[in-house]
Amino acid sequence: MTVGALWTATMSFIKEIYDSQGFVIVPNLVSTDDLEKLRTACDTVVGRTRNGHWPHRRVVGKQFPPFDSDNPDSWGVQHLMHPDLGPPASVFAKWYSSDTLVGAAKELLQCEDKDMQMELFNLLINPESHKFALRWHRDDVKGDATEDEERKALAAWNGGVQWNSALYEDSCLYIVPGSHLKTRTDEQRKHSNTMDPPANPLDMPGAIRVTLQPGETVFYNSNILHCATYDHECKRATLHATIGDARKGAGRARNILQHGLTWMQEERFRDQLDERGKAMLDRLLLLQQTTRDVGYSLDN
Ligand SMILES: O=C(O)CCC(=O)C(=O)O
Ligand SMILES: [Fe+2]
């Protein structure tokens, strides 16, 4: 078998697992060379976030945006490709539009290059001095949704892929395999229809803990039931990003644009991207433009 044929076989295998289980772990999307460059870039932006010089962060105590609390301890750094981050932003942007990563996203979305839409690119980190946890949730379905609302939301969900790429060993994420296809059982609802973080995430029926080795990536349907626990004593630097299928139009707007991506309209951002990155950006700018024109509401 040639390398090309092996890649194609592996890729169709990941699609099958991703569709049926709602997640798939792929080992080889960060090269050894990139691993070092990305770790160095992360150290810089994490330092800047912790010393208060980067305002776009996810703060301990808050699960979703807006992250407007005064708590200085952070569990995430937002907008890794933002030109105000200087040289690290270019390292992140180069990897985001790399052949291997975009190749996997195209396979999972069954898309071509012309459909790839630039979206979110953030970093998940260990807080410096607090333990923190995210409660069980689906990213785009409310915890108190009725069974009928949940069924409709799961059926409607489509058009993007989300992933975590670990630069250090990472065991923070818990998921319920297959739950992207099913409404919750009564017992699962009890564990996810609450604002409280789980005492033990494995109390959730069907839950497993995901462990990634450095350089491994988990792609997951963001409507799979998931939660996460953060340990301030264990170093975490995990790239957390999404790519969309531009053919889905406004369907992705609420999930993506609530994170505040207007800075992507700046020419100096565009200038730091390669040709594929620029084309992906154009599709996001079009989404911003069309959702603004129709007055799309982001607060529901
Ligand atoms: O920390 C993680 O791996 C999960 C983050 C997450 O679920 C979220 O940001 O909605
Ligand atoms: Fe989530």
Side-chain angles (χ1 to χ4, degrees):
M1 205 184 240
T2 63
V3 173
L6 185 61
W7 173 252
T8 310
T10 312
M11 284 294 114
S12 59
F13 195 49
I14 70 168
K15 164 91 179 126
E16 235 174 86
I17 299 172
Y18 176 75
D19 283 347
S20 63
Q21 300 301 310
F23 77 104
V24 63
I25 295 175
V26 185
N28 49 6
L29 304 179
V30 183
S31 67
T32 320
D33 193 33
D34 280 346
L35 187 67
E36 281 319 307
K37 287 188 188 142
L38 289 164
R39 280 179 171 173
T40 305
C42 285
D43 283 345
T44 306
V45 303
V46 170
R48 235 178 118 166
T49 303
R50 290 192 176 140
N51 70 19
H53 289 118
W54 187 247
H56 309 293
R57 60 207 176 88
R58 299 182 178 199
V59 289
V60 165
K62 286 212 73 182
Q63 173 147 348
F64 290 117
F67 295 107
D68 48 5
S69 120
D70 290 340
N71 191 338
D73 206 0
S74 303
W75 61 277
V77 181
Q78 302 288 86
H79 309 323
L80 292 186
M81 298 189 285
H82 197 304
D84 285 351
L85 284 175
S90 300
V91 174
F92 294 126
K94 189 159 174 274
W95 183 71
Y96 182 87
S97 60
S98 63
D99 287 343
T100 39
L101 191 64
V102 171
K106 282 196 293 192
E107 177 61 33
L108 294 176
L109 290 169
Q110 295 289 289
C111 276
E112 297 175 34
D113 262 307
K114 67 174 180 44
D115 308 315
M116 296 271 94
Q117 174 171 286
M118 179 173 285
E119 294 186 344
L120 307 173
F121 192 5
N122 300 315
L123 176 66
L124 300 170
I125 62 174
N126 57 295
E128 240 186 334
S129 50
H130 300 83
K131 276 188 186 288
F132 181 53
L134 302 187
R135 61 184 172 76
W136 281 101
H137 66 283
R138 306 183 191 273
D139 282 358
D140 208 22
V141 187
K142 288 189 174 139
D144 60 0
T146 64
E147 191 175 355
D148 200 39
E149 287 166 345
E150 192 178 14
R151 184 178 301 107
K152 284 191 185 127
L154 294 181
W157 189 89
N158 204 345
V161 67
Q162 170 165 310
W163 68 91
N164 283 6
S165 295
L167 302 183
Y168 302 92
E169 188 175 315
D170 180 345
S171 297
C172 296
L173 180 69
Y174 294 78
I175 58 170
V176 178
S179 58
H180 62 307
L181 299 174
K182 292 185 209 138
T183 55
R184 290 162 294 173
T185 62
D186 289 345
E187 185 65 16
Q188 288 176 330
R189 181 173 282 274
K190 236 191 293 170
H191 288 275
S192 55
N193 189 7
T194 161
M195 288 297 144
D196 299 331
N200 176 3
L202 292 173
D203 288 343
M204 168 65 99
I208 62 165
R209 185 175 199 172
V210 176
T211 294
L212 299 175
Q213 297 304 324
E216 286 185 343
T217 296
V218 59
F219 288 93
Y220 55 110
N221 180 316
S222 58
N223 272 342
I224 199 168
L225 272 174
H226 62 287
C227 75
T229 58
Y230 306 126
D231 178 354
H232 60 95
E233 285 170 346
C234 180
K235 180 160 180 158
R236 185 186 206 204
T238 290
L239 303 164
H240 179 63
T242 73
I243 283 182
D245 173 354
R247 295 171 300 182
K248 303 295 173 184
R252 290 194 61 71
R254 181 184 52 203
N255 214 223
I256 300 309
L257 300 182
Q258 67 175 334
H259 289 265
L261 299 182
T262 47
W263 59 269
M264 285 187 169
Q265 293 163 12
E266 292 178 38
E267 207 52 43
R268 65 194 179 108
F269 170 55
R270 184 187 181 76
D271 289 346
Q272 84 189 6
L273 301 174
D274 60 18
E275 286 314 304
R276 179 191 271 142
K278 287 186 173 110
M280 291 172 71
L281 171 65
D282 286 342
R283 296 178 198 113
L284 179 80
L285 297 182
L286 189 63
L287 179 71
Q288 285 179 335
Q289 181 64 43
T290 47
T291 51
R292 193 169 47 232
D293 288 350
V294 297
Y296 190 86
S297 165
L298 301 180
D299 55 7
N300 55 1

